[in-house]
């Protein structure tokens, strides 16, 4: 699976290749040190009679000077090789780690771009916290593989291979005994790698659940406080936190048990070198310098062997994290430009036509399968379920809205009003029939052209943690101050903005928390109006304002009538009564259609809704 990352490694080959070459050069200088030590140790008996020195015979001045010179020269050479090795280690890290940061940057952008292309089915069944974990923690673990893991692995392989060759040339027998514990170490590494992979996957899944719990609780903090459920939420968080703690400790236990085992096996190698090497030195097969050289080689091999476990740990964690990222990246957005898209379409006039349109929330959609959010990495109960067939939400809808006219849509809660209007900008795609824009199937219109031609105010308003002015200008990023102000006037928001100390520069807080419901809705309306699009869609966008404010906004919106196509979804008859045609939805079907006067005279569902609202207004006035 990690091979799929090779394209990123090749993209930064101008950094990776020099960096890995620096790793090899650094290893070469490190491996020259034992050879210098061997020569220095073997030179001592030639310059000084150790037996005579032990008997108390003084050393001549010449011999002492020669001995000192040899030691100083050896120390200087060792220091020089160490410095050169350190310089190349710095260059190695300066290139490879920088490349890994570039790859991390690219991966994060690729993932974010892909997440923006995924549609409603994916987000309706995938916890936000889980997606956030994959975009942060998982990408960081992948970066460690493409950077430190490769860097340490290349250097470890170079050091190990070179050291083994030199050791075999010196004494195959001593090398055999020095490497005797290594098969046990290899077996330990194999099993530990499997344990680390499994436990890392479970830990990341539990971390996703923990993040989702925090994100959900903080997003609904006002509800939590209103119902005095702080203790309840704290206990739920504690349960998720305990689950994460157990999985983290489980992983740490595996890593902790591996390190002492590795140290014991390496220490055993050193002991065997001294024992067997001493016997070989007595026999004259090797010198004392060779024993010293071997001890240093075993010490040098300690880091590659130790880093081998470290690298395998990082690779297994990266493999688990990359599989979680691929789980998202391999999802094909259901709603996208395809072969039938006509790239020549650049403008839209605004005619909307539905021909026998039906819709169901199809759980077999490849975006609809929720990501695993359970602590063991398996889908949580109820998530990712695949019913044989979802019920029809809309059935056989056929109507035409000429460009520049107004369509009103009313109906009881759950009648399918929001689903209907979401088919126009292709936030959803029809399961049956066709949705046409200017007589062309909406699937043939490029998505960017279609959505740039629509001003959409959703039922659930979302504002960014920014200024009011920037939230309005989100509909048109190059909008001037005058355009922002005019949009605020048309949305009946200017008076509220001018009451704020900082006016349009007032920050609205996360999700617009500092604004009232009506102010948020009017900000969203201004955001749609500033685009001056051919099509305006208001999905129950006046539900949070009082009737007087509604009247002022509708008076401003009526100025748009005739200039662009306007679709108004509302529970209030007053919001749609001036529309050119009104659709009454009931159980996903068009139960009635006509003008306000026609529908009132008809005496059906619309007339009943009208009578009830007139009664409510009369009671309110009384």
């Amino acid at each position: 699976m990690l091979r799929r990352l090779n394209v990123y490694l090749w993209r930064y080959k101008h950094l990776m290749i020099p960096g890995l070459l620096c790793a090899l050069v650094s290893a070469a200088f490190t491996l020259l040190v034992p050879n210098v030590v061997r020569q220095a140790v073997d030179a001592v008996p030639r310059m000084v009679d150790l037996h005579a020195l032990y008997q108390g015979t003084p050393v001549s001045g010449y011999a002492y000077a020669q001995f000192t010179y040899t030691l100083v020269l050896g120390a200087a050479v060792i220091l020089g090789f160490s410095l050169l090795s350190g310089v190349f280690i710095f260059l190695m890290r300066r290139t490879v780690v920088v490349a890994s940061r570039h790859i991390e940057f690219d991966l994060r952008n690729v993932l974010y771009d892909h997440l923006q292309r995924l549609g409603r089915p994916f987000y309706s069944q995938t916890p936000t916290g889980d997606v956030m974990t994959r975009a942060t923690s998982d990408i960081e673990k992948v970066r460690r593989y493409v950077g430190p893991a490769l860097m340490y692995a290349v250097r470890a392989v170079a050091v190990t291979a070179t050291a083994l060759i030199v050791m075999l040339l010196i004494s195959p027998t001593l090398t055999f005994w020095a490497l005797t514990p290594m098969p046990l170490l290899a077996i330990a590494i194999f099993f530990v790698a499997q344990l680390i992979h499994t436990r890392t996957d479970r830990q990341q899944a539990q971390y996703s659940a923990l993040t989702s719990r925090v994100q959900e609780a903080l997003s609904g903090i006002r509800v939590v406080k209103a119902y005095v459920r702080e203790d309840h939420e704290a206990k739920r968080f504690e349960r998720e936190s305990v689950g994460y703690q157990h999985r983290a400790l489980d992983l740490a236990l595996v890593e902790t048990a591996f390190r002492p085992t590795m140290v014991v096996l390496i220490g055993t190698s050193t002991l065997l070198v001294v024992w067997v090497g001493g016997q070989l030195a007595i026999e004259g097969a090797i010198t004392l310098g060779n024993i010293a050289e071997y001890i240093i080689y075993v010490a040098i091999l300690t880091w590659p062997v130790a880093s081998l476990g470290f690298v395998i740990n990082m690779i297994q964690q990266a493999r688990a994290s990359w599989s979680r990222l691929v789980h998202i990246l391999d999802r094909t957005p259901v709603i996208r430009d395809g072969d039938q898209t006509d790239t020549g379409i650049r403008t839209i006039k605004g005619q909307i036509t539905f021909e026998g349109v039906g819709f169901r929330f199809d759980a077999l959609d490849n975006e609809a399968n929720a990501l695993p959010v359970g602590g063991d990495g398996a889908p949580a109960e109820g998530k990712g379920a695949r019913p044989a067939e979802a019920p029809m939400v809309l059935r056989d809808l056929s109507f035409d809205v000429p460009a520049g006219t107004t369509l009103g849509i009313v109906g009881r809660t759950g009648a399918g009003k929001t689903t209907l209007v979401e088919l126009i900008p292709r936030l959803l795609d029809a399961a049956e029939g066709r949705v046409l824009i200017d007589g062309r199937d909406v699937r043939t219109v490029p998505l960017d052209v279609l959505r740039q031609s629509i001003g959409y105010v959703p039922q659930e308003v979302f504002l960014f943690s920014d200024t009011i002015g920037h939230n309005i200008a989100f509909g048109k990023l190059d909008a001037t101050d005058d355009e922002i102000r005019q949009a605020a006037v048309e949305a009946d928001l200017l008076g509220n903005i001018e009451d704020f100390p900082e006016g349009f520069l007032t920050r609205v807080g996360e999700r617009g928390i500092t604004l009232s419901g009506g102010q948020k809705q009017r900000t969203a309306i201004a955001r749609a109006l500033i685009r001056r699009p051919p099509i305006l869609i208001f999905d129950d966008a006046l539900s949070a304002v009082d009737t007087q404010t509604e009247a002022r906004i509708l008076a401003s919106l009526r100025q748009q009538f005739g200039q662009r196509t306007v679709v108004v979804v509302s529970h209030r008859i007053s919001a749609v009564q001036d529309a050119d045609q009104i659709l009454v939805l009931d159980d996903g079907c068009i139960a009635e259609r006509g003008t306000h006067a026609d529908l009132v005279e008809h005496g059906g569902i619309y007339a009943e809704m009208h009578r009830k609202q007139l009664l409510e207004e009369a009671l309110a006035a009384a």
Side-chain angles (χ1 to χ4, degrees):
M1 182 173 291
L2 292 175
R3 290 177 184 171
R4 293 179 56 172
L5 291 168
N6 290 346
V7 63
Y8 295 98
L9 295 173
W10 186 249
R11 181 180 301 171
Y12 295 100
K13 59 183 181 294
H14 62 286
L15 292 172
M16 296 297 298
I17 293 176
L20 297 179
L21 288 176
C22 286
L24 298 178
V25 175
S26 170
F29 281 117
T30 299
L31 292 169
L32 288 174
V33 171
N35 183 267
V36 176
V37 172
R38 175 184 61 79
Q39 295 183 41
V41 171
D42 287 342
V44 172
R46 294 195 299 269
M47 293 179 291
V48 179
D49 187 348
L50 296 179
H51 182 70
L53 184 63
Y54 179 74
Q55 295 296 328
T57 303
V59 180
S60 66
Y62 173 77
Y64 183 80
Q66 188 182 24
F67 175 69
T68 303
Y69 172 76
T70 301
L71 292 181
V72 171
L73 179 62
V77 172
I78 291 173
L79 179 61
F81 285 159
S82 299
L83 287 175
L84 288 172
S85 178
V87 168
F88 281 99
I89 287 177
F90 169 78
L91 294 175
M92 171 188 70
R93 296 185 62 85
R94 183 68 182 83
T95 50
V96 176
V97 173
V98 168
S100 73
R101 290 298 182 184
H102 284 302
I103 293 173
E104 176 189 22
F105 175 82
D106 291 346
L107 283 175
R108 207 179 302 279
N109 286 333
V110 167
L111 178 64
Y112 184 72
D113 181 67
H114 189 70
L115 286 171
Q116 291 191 98
R117 297 178 187 277
L118 294 177
R120 173 173 167 176
F122 172 78
Y123 289 104
S124 64
Q125 299 191 30
T126 306
T128 302
D130 187 72
V131 177
M132 292 296 297
T133 299
R134 296 172 195 243
T136 53
S137 177
D138 284 325
I139 286 183
E140 170 60 20
K141 284 182 169 57
V142 172
R143 184 202 69 81
R144 293 177 188 173
Y145 160 71
V146 297
L150 288 180
M151 178 174 65
Y152 295 145
V154 169
R155 193 172 189 277
V157 169
V159 168
T160 302
T162 306
L164 289 177
I165 291 173
V166 174
M167 292 167 70
L168 286 170
L169 291 175
I170 296 171
S171 173
T173 301
L174 188 56
T175 303
F176 169 77
W177 286 103
L179 300 182
T180 298
M182 295 305 171
L184 297 176
L185 186 60
I187 294 173
I189 289 174
F190 174 78
F191 284 107
V192 167
Q194 299 299 320
L195 294 174
I196 288 176
H197 174 73
T198 302
R199 282 157 176 75
T200 298
D201 200 10
R202 291 176 179 176
Q203 182 190 27
Q204 286 300 100
Q206 183 61 32
Y207 184 68
S208 297
L210 181 65
T211 306
S212 298
R213 170 56 49 208
V214 175
Q215 187 271 336
E216 187 178 62
L218 295 182
S219 297
I221 190 64
R222 288 191 289 186
V223 176
V224 173
K225 289 181 175 294
Y227 284 85
V228 197
R229 288 293 181 266
E230 292 90 343
D231 291 341
H232 173 72
E233 288 299 318
K235 290 178 181 177
R236 294 179 68 184
F237 174 78
E238 183 178 357
R239 284 196 297 271
E240 298 291 355
S241 186
V242 167
Y244 178 75
Q245 181 188 45
H246 287 166
R247 283 160 178 78
L249 291 175
D250 197 19
L251 177 61
L253 178 62
V254 174
E255 296 173 346
T256 304
F258 176 65
R259 295 178 186 275
T261 303
M262 184 174 60
V263 171
V264 169
L265 293 173
I266 294 173
T268 304
S269 294
T270 305
L271 179 63
L272 290 171
V273 166
V274 175
W275 180 262
V276 178
Q279 294 179 356
L280 292 174
I282 293 173
E283 296 171 0
I286 61 174
T287 65
L288 291 176
N290 289 136
I291 296 177
E293 184 180 15
Y294 254 83
I295 292 174
I296 297 176
Y297 276 129
V298 170
I300 290 176
L301 287 175
T302 300
W303 166 243
V305 175
S307 66
L308 182 61
F310 180 57
V311 166
I312 289 178
N313 185 0
M314 287 193 292
I315 291 176
Q316 291 299 330
Q317 290 189 11
R319 183 166 170 254
S321 293
W322 181 237
S323 66
R324 287 162 51 82
L325 291 171
V326 167
H327 194 73
I328 293 179
L329 294 173
D330 282 353
R331 293 174 183 269
T332 302
V334 175
I335 299 175
R336 63 188 187 279
D337 291 332
D339 296 336
Q340 58 183 340
T341 301
D342 184 355
T343 56
I345 301 175
R346 306 311 304 170
T347 59
I348 287 177
K349 295 179 181 179
Q351 181 186 7
I352 303 171
T353 306
F354 277 48
E355 293 182 349
V357 171
F359 178 81
R360 67 163 57 93
F361 290 102
D362 192 353
L364 294 177
D365 193 291
N366 70 337
E367 275 187 47
N369 301 322
L371 298 180
V373 295
D376 58 355
E381 184 179 355
K383 296 290 186 178
R386 293 189 172 192
E389 186 175 281
M392 294 295 292
V393 179
L394 300 176
R395 294 191 298 276
D396 195 26
L397 299 185
S398 297
F399 59 87
D400 180 67
V401 185
T405 64
T406 304
L407 171 69
I409 303 174
V410 297
R412 299 183 178 91
T413 301
K417 302 184 295 298
T418 296
T419 302
L420 187 155
V421 295
E422 287 184 345
L423 293 171
I424 300 173
R426 285 195 71 195
L427 297 177
L428 299 172
D429 264 342
E432 300 174 358
R434 297 193 303 166
V435 178
L436 307 176
I437 298 291
D438 296 342
R440 296 175 292 227
D441 192 315
V442 73
R443 295 181 178 89
T444 66
V445 182
L447 273 176
D448 59 340
V449 175
L450 175 67
R451 292 174 180 173
Q452 287 173 7
S453 302
I454 296 175
Y456 178 51
V457 185
Q459 191 172 13
E460 297 181 3
V461 174
F462 181 89
L463 299 183
F464 296 93
S465 181
D466 204 337
T467 65
I468 295 179
H470 286 166
N471 269 285
I472 295 174
F474 189 79
K476 184 182 179 183
L477 297 179
D478 59 348
T480 65
D481 291 342
D482 289 340
E483 288 176 316
I484 295 173
R485 185 180 183 86
Q486 180 60 32
V489 170
E490 293 175 1
D492 195 40
L493 185 63
L494 184 61
N496 293 119
I497 294 176
E498 290 179 339
D499 288 338
F500 294 138
E502 298 182 59
F504 284 95
L505 298 179
T506 302
R507 301 192 70 85
V508 301
E510 186 177 5
R511 295 177 176 266
I513 194 172
T514 60
L515 301 182
S516 68
Q519 290 170 339
K520 287 194 287 187
Q521 279 194 334
R522 283 176 283 164
T523 303
I525 292 172
R527 182 165 60 194
L529 293 174
I530 200 172
R531 307 186 76 171
R532 307 300 175 198
I535 300 174
L536 280 171
I537 299 175
F538 300 96
D539 184 8
D540 209 10
L542 301 174
S543 60
V545 300
D546 55 52
T547 54
Q548 294 179 348
T549 303
E550 178 191 59
R552 290 194 295 269
I553 295 174
L554 289 173
S556 177
L557 288 179
R558 289 188 186 100
Q559 299 176 13
Q560 311 289 331
F561 294 178
Q563 302 179 29
R564 48 187 50 85
T565 306
V566 180
V567 179
V568 180
V569 176
S570 180
H571 289 285
R572 293 177 179 173
I573 299 300
S574 56
V576 300
Q577 62 185 7
D578 292 327
D580 295 297
Q581 62 174 316
I582 301 171
L583 302 181
V584 181
L585 291 188
D586 187 36
D587 194 24
C589 299
I590 299 177
E592 302 172 11
R593 73 175 72 199
T595 63
H596 172 73
D598 293 337
L599 293 173
V600 170
E601 183 179 354
H602 178 66
I605 298 174
Y606 185 88
E608 180 183 354
M609 294 174 62
H610 185 236
R611 286 194 299 271
K612 287 182 177 179
Q613 291 187 21
L614 290 177
L615 179 59
E616 290 173 358
E617 292 174 5
L619 291 174

